[in-house]
Amino acid sequence: MNHSSKFASGIRVTGRSRVELRDVASLIRKTLRLEKCAKFPVIRFLEYMQRTFEGFDFEIVEKVELPKGIYAYYNPIQDCVVIDERFYALANQGNGFALWTILHECAHRILHRKQMAAFARQDRTPHKPYEDSEWQANTLVAELMMPPEMLHDGMTAEEIVEKFGVSPKAAEVRLETYKK
Ligand SMILES: [Zn+2]
């Protein structure tokens, strides 16, 4: 549940490169016919997952039901994304950080459900960024919310915030990876 783009906080999962995650993102955008839509509709996607992914659900709860400092998390046993009600309201108002966080939890469902559910075997040994659950979830979110074909040279962080509805921090990190 670490949402910084820095590596090394998650569990070890099957390796996936940025290119593979970009393909996953592009397939999702194609399936939902969002190729031309700059602002990824996170809440609509959450509802789409609820309708389409068998057994998956999301739940809006009061703050007291969540651990301190946590606004959303994915429960792999119940196959459910749990979201703080005020945070959910913020996402509905277009808050970039709230949207990112909710989509990040959806990314865990898409990428890591089985491995996250296997508590006993959760592997926290040193591993490469591309094998890290948090890196993978954040990378998928970045590719979904700011697809490379909609970015262009010379774009500023402010323009990215405006176009994609992400937080300033996410825009800055995206610019760094885009330049590479
Ligand atoms: Zn996470």
Side-chain angles (χ1 to χ4, degrees):
M1 276 174 275
N2 183 323
H3 304 107
S4 82
S5 66
K6 282 239 176 79
F7 153 64
S9 38
I11 59 166
R12 185 179 198 158
V13 293
T14 310
R16 281 189 182 90
S17 68
R18 179 176 288 274
V19 172
E20 288 174 83
L21 293 163
R22 182 168 295 164
D23 287 345
V24 174
S26 142
L27 184 65
I28 290 171
R29 277 186 164 266
K30 271 200 193 101
T31 306
L32 298 171
R33 297 198 177 90
L34 292 170
E35 292 103 321
K36 296 209 170 95
C37 170
K39 289 192 172 81
F40 189 82
V42 173
I43 302 299
R44 251 177 63 209
F45 182 61
L46 189 63
E47 290 161 358
Y48 167 83
M49 284 177 65
Q50 186 188 42
R51 284 196 307 274
T52 318
F53 290 30
E54 208 184 322
F56 173 80
D57 205 354
F58 67 92
E59 193 184 353
I60 313 302
V61 300
E62 287 178 40
K63 179 133 202 65
V64 290
E65 294 178 54
L66 289 161
K68 205 168 176 241
I70 299 295
Y71 303 106
Y73 69 94
Y74 173 60
N75 179 328
I77 307 295
Q78 290 172 357
D79 196 11
C80 185
V81 168
V82 182
I83 308 164
D84 175 328
E85 61 182 355
R86 279 190 288 182
F87 202 63
Y88 183 71
L90 274 180
N92 273 298
Q93 291 158 21
N95 179 282
F97 175 67
L99 292 169
W100 178 287
T101 305
I102 291 169
L103 193 54
H104 172 106
E105 301 310 328
C106 294
H108 279 314
R109 163 55 161 90
I110 294 163
L111 300 171
H112 308 130
R113 185 188 171 198
K114 287 207 180 98
Q115 281 163 305
M116 286 175 82
F119 284 122
R121 283 177 282 121
Q122 274 196 10
D123 186 347
R124 293 186 177 276
T125 54
H127 50 273
K128 300 269 193 310
Y130 67 88
E131 299 171 318
D132 186 71
S133 59
E134 295 313 299
W135 180 87
Q136 287 187 5
N138 282 325
T139 302
L140 179 58
V141 173
E143 295 291 334
L144 272 173
M145 292 188 81
M146 298 166 278
E149 63 274 15
M150 290 190 196
L151 293 161
H152 56 80
D153 292 335
M155 247 182 147
T156 64
E158 292 74 37
E159 286 168 339
I160 290 178
V161 168
E162 180 67 25
K163 179 167 183 174
F164 301 104
V166 296
S167 70
K169 175 89 176 73
E172 279 161 31
V173 173
R174 189 64 170 128
L175 274 181
E176 281 167 32
T177 56
Y178 179 66
K179 281 175 201 152
K180 277 175 198 162

